[in-house]
């Protein structure tokens, strides 16, 4: 089937009659440049195909429209600056104006939109592609009450593929550079389907073509957004790399998509709440589990160069000052605390923080500090966070990482506020450690992330996994 008409662009492969350059036209441009310009204007500034006898007046009118769109001097004459813009890599959907919607304002009339990737790029592994596509959709689900779910069989609302040249529709790709991708507007059948040119070099950074930026642009089309004249907008038609770490939807694009779908608020569709760790009081003494290969920690932290491993209202303490491992109840040391869900030590202040549900305490050594407990809202968490899974202080950055389900936050201890653009998916920034973190701590320059009984020894500076361990190995069980 044809693409929805509102997204159709026409590729014209013939040479039009060439007019002699006017006095203002750049006489250094070649006949081939004129052909490039004619094909560009036919592809991106025509809703429907025109006859082959397109007149000079029509060419000039379209050229003026294109120059105005890109903020160039509007002369109607083909010059080197205009041609330079035409040769930039870009989206394959035709141009219109400011933040705009497609004709008729098509949109998804549902709260959950599914997507499926049927063919992957060879430039990165499948896990990286899945994570990047999910991140691109999340830019929109962060600001509108629409959720996206990846499926792995059957027909999804949005079908996605990477393929070069002819790929099953009427709009074959043109090789490296040029058109990078294209997408359909929302609707049945092929509505929302998104195609990426496999001849491009897809990357996760500024080398080659950044997949996150292009995917997020195309998904804007798949949600009903047309191109924008705003050079800072994601929906600007030509590709330009910007730093993607902490990237969020620019203002123009946010206004456009919210005009279609409304604004996401926690009361409309909050993120899933974490399941608080169970009250440990009725749970069995965990000492018998100490050397079990299935041992799972509730939390781990250093306190004055000694490691505390918390489990079911108790803790094991491992110290360089004595041999062996001490085992005690939490209440015997901190009478106000019955269990610890998460813990970390700010080694710059020599203060450790212990978290239980929505509350936390500060302790120096084993002495609780006055003025506690306090609410975890002190750190700036949203109201749906009712308990933390894990926390770890990174001394080299003076930032604390907080983990809740499959998300994490970064807290600036020096400025005492949460960093912008969080939470983020754990899998985006720490690939390989798992989808959630049950306990985390720092020791001898490494970070340790535990998911269940499995633990990853991680080099934070280079974002690299050093080795994979089991939790029980810390408790003198070898």
């Amino acid at each position: 089937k044809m693409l929805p008409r509102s997204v159709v662009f026409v590729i014209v492969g013939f040479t039009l009659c060439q007019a002699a350059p006017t006095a203002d036209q750049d006489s250094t441009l070649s006949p081939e440049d004129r052909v490039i310009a004619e094909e560009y204007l036919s592809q991106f500034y025509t809703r429907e195909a025109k006859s082959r006898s397109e007149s000079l007046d029509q060419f000039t009118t379209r050229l003026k429209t294109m120059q105005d769109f890109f903020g160039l001097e509007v002369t109607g004459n083909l010059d080197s600056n205009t041609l330079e813009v035409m040769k930039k890599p870009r989206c394959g959907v035709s141009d219109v104006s400011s933040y705009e919607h497609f004709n008729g304002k098509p949109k998804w009339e549902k709260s959950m939109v599914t997507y499926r990737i049927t063919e992957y790029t060879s430039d990165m592994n499948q896990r990286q592609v899945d994570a990047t596509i999910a991140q691109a959709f999340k830019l929109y689900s962060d600001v509108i009450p629409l959720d996206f779910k990846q499926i792995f069989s059957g027909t999804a609302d949005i079908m996605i593929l990477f393929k070069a040249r002819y790929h099953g529709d009427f709009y074959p790709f043109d090789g490296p550079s040029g058109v990078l991708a294209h997408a359909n507007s929302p609707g049945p059948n092929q509505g929302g389907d998104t195609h990426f040119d496999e001849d491009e070099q897809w990357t996760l950074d500024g080398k080659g073509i950044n997949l996150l930026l292009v995917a997020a642009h195309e998904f804007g089309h798949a949600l009903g957004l047309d191109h924008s004249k705003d050079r800072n907008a994601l929906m600007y038609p030509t590709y330009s790399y910007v730093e993607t770490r902490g990237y969020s939807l620019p203002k123009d694009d946010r206004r456009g998509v919210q005009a279609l779908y409304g604004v996401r608020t926690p009361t409309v569709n909050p993120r899933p709440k974490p399941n608080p760790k169970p009250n440990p009081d009725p749970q069995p003494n965990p000492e018998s589990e100490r050397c079990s290969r299935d041992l799972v920690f509730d939390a781990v932290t250093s306190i004055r160069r000694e490691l505390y491993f918390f489990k079911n209202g108790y803790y094991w303490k491992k110290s360089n000052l004595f041999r062996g491992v001490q085992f005690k109840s939490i209440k015997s040391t901190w009478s106000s605390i019955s269990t610890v869900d998460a813990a970390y030590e700010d080694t710059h202040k020599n203060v450790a923080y212990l978290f239980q549900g929505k509350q936390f305490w500060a302790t120096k050594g084993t002495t609780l500090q006055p003025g506690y407990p306090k609410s975890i809202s002190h750190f700036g968490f949203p109201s749906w966070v009712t308990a933390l899974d894990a926390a770890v202080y990174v001394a080299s950055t003076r930032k604390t990482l907080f983990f809740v389900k499959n998300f994490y936050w970064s807290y600036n201890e020096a400025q005492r506020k949460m960093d912008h653009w969080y939470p983020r998916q754990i899998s985006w920034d720490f690939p390989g450690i798992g989808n959630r973190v049950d306990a985390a701590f720092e020791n001898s320059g490494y970070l340790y992330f535990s998911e269940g009984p499995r633990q990853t020894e991680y080099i934070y500076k280079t974002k690299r996994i050093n080795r994979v361990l089991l939790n029980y190995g810390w408790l003198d069980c070898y």
Side-chain angles (χ1 to χ4, degrees):
K1 293 185 178 180
M2 294 285 288
L3 294 172
R5 182 176 177 182
S6 59
V7 192
V8 166
F9 56 84
V10 179
I11 300 175
V12 182
F14 51 84
T15 303
L16 302 181
C17 297
Q18 180 168 342
T22 68
D24 294 325
Q25 187 167 319
D26 191 336
S27 60
T28 64
L29 299 181
S30 67
E32 290 77 15
D33 291 332
R34 170 74 183 201
V35 172
I36 290 172
E38 289 167 343
E39 293 184 346
Y40 185 96
L41 295 176
S42 293
Q43 181 170 350
F44 299 116
Y45 287 85
T46 307
R47 289 290 187 187
E48 299 175 354
K50 300 295 183 182
S51 69
R52 297 194 178 196
S53 60
E54 181 177 38
S55 70
L56 176 61
D57 286 343
Q58 289 173 313
F59 175 85
T60 302
T61 298
R62 292 179 184 181
L63 186 58
K64 286 182 177 180
T65 302
M66 178 264 178
Q67 289 171 329
D68 178 67
F69 187 97
F70 285 99
L72 302 170
E73 183 180 3
V74 181
T75 63
N77 297 314
L78 183 61
D79 54 40
S80 57
N81 289 336
T82 302
L83 191 66
E84 182 181 357
V85 172
M86 289 179 171
K87 291 181 177 180
K88 289 183 177 181
R90 59 161 293 150
C91 171
V93 177
S94 60
D95 296 336
V96 283
S97 60
S98 60
Y99 99 61
E100 285 287 343
H101 305 125
F102 289 118
N103 292 338
K105 294 188 175 182
K107 67 176 185 176
W108 296 103
E109 301 292 348
K110 53 175 67 178
S111 60
M112 173 69 76
V113 173
T114 59
Y115 66 94
R116 179 185 173 193
I117 307 171
T118 58
E119 296 186 52
Y120 286 79
T121 178
S122 60
D123 296 333
M124 56 187 73
N125 64 48
Q126 183 172 327
R127 177 181 53 77
Q128 290 173 316
V129 174
D130 286 343
T132 304
I133 294 299
Q135 184 179 1
F137 278 118
K138 184 177 180 293
L139 292 173
Y140 294 97
S141 63
D142 277 348
V143 299
I144 60 174
L146 194 62
D147 292 310
F148 302 94
K149 179 181 179 181
Q150 183 177 10
I151 64 173
F152 299 93
S153 62
T155 302
D157 296 315
I158 298 174
M159 301 290 281
I160 300 168
L161 61 79
F162 293 78
K163 202 163 186 179
R165 304 293 176 172
Y166 181 76
H167 52 278
D169 59 20
F170 291 94
Y171 310 102
F173 287 123
D174 53 4
S177 193
V179 173
L180 306 177
H182 53 225
N184 299 357
S185 60
N189 301 319
Q190 284 80 30
D193 288 0
T194 303
H195 305 153
F196 298 89
D197 187 356
E198 178 60 2
D199 276 338
E200 312 300 341
Q201 181 65 40
W202 297 105
T203 69
L204 299 177
D205 52 30
K207 301 175 183 177
I209 303 298
N210 184 274
L211 178 58
L212 174 63
L213 296 175
V214 176
H217 175 105
E218 298 306 329
F219 296 154
H221 291 316
L223 293 176
L225 292 180
D226 213 332
H227 283 153
S228 171
K229 284 184 177 180
D230 185 342
R231 290 178 179 273
N232 296 316
L234 175 65
M235 297 310 295
Y236 195 66
T238 59
Y239 171 81
S240 180
Y241 177 74
V242 296
E243 175 57 51
T244 57
R245 187 175 179 83
Y247 183 80
S248 63
L249 208 61
K251 181 178 180 180
D252 185 74
D253 310 290
R254 186 173 68 250
R255 287 174 56 242
V257 76
Q258 288 177 338
L260 282 174
Y261 295 96
V263 179
R264 177 182 284 277
T265 62
T267 56
V268 174
N269 197 354
R271 296 188 188 279
K273 294 182 179 181
N275 295 320
K277 294 176 182 177
N279 189 314
D281 292 339
Q283 295 193 34
N285 183 318
E287 174 63 5
S288 61
E289 299 179 50
R290 180 164 69 95
C291 290
S292 168
R293 293 178 61 87
D294 297 323
L295 176 64
V296 177
F297 295 133
D298 289 340
V300 183
T301 188
S302 61
I303 300 178
R304 292 187 173 176
R305 299 184 180 181
E306 297 177 321
L307 289 175
Y308 289 70
F309 302 88
F310 297 94
K311 175 77 173 179
N312 290 4
Y314 296 83
Y315 67 84
W316 293 277
K317 183 169 73 171
K318 187 177 178 70
S319 174
N320 294 326
L321 302 178
F322 55 84
R323 298 185 64 181
V325 176
Q326 292 184 351
F327 180 72
K328 294 184 178 181
S329 71
I330 294 172
K331 279 187 172 293
S332 69
T333 304
W334 299 284
S335 59
S336 302
I337 307 173
S338 58
T339 184
V340 174
D341 298 329
Y344 76 93
E345 182 183 30
D346 183 338
T347 53
H348 280 82
K349 302 176 183 175
N350 290 318
V351 177
Y353 298 92
L354 309 179
F355 296 80
Q356 177 183 322
K358 289 186 174 183
Q359 296 181 317
F360 74 99
W361 290 257
T363 182
K364 289 186 175 182
T366 58
T367 305
L368 289 176
Q369 300 303 290
Y372 291 86
K374 295 181 179 179
S375 170
I376 60 174
S377 62
H378 167 86
F379 291 95
F381 290 107
S383 59
W384 60 265
V385 175
T386 57
L388 306 182
D389 288 336
V392 61
Y393 176 74
V394 182
S396 61
T397 63
R398 289 208 64 187
K399 294 185 178 183
T400 300
L401 308 179
F402 293 106
F403 300 86
V404 179
K405 291 187 84 68
N406 58 329
F407 297 99
Y408 86 100
W409 282 258
S410 174
Y411 180 79
N412 190 314
E413 295 284 353
Q415 297 179 6
R416 296 185 179 181
K417 65 179 183 180
M418 207 72 83
D419 287 335
H420 292 300
W421 321 126
Y422 288 86
R424 290 173 58 82
Q425 294 268 8
I426 295 170
S427 60
W428 294 346
D429 299 331
F430 301 95
I433 72 168
N435 294 319
R436 62 176 295 157
V437 176
D438 295 319
F441 63 102
E442 187 276 336
N443 189 65
S444 299
Y446 294 103
L447 296 185
Y448 293 86
F449 299 110
S450 293
E451 182 185 23
R454 173 182 175 273
Q455 186 177 88
T456 304
E457 186 177 74
Y458 194 81
I459 304 172
Y460 187 73
K461 183 177 181 179
T462 59
K463 300 289 185 180
R464 184 170 61 86
I465 295 173
N466 193 50
R467 56 178 176 161
V468 178
L469 311 165
L470 290 175
N471 288 335
Y472 81 106
W474 288 92
L475 301 181
D476 294 352
C477 294
Y478 291 125

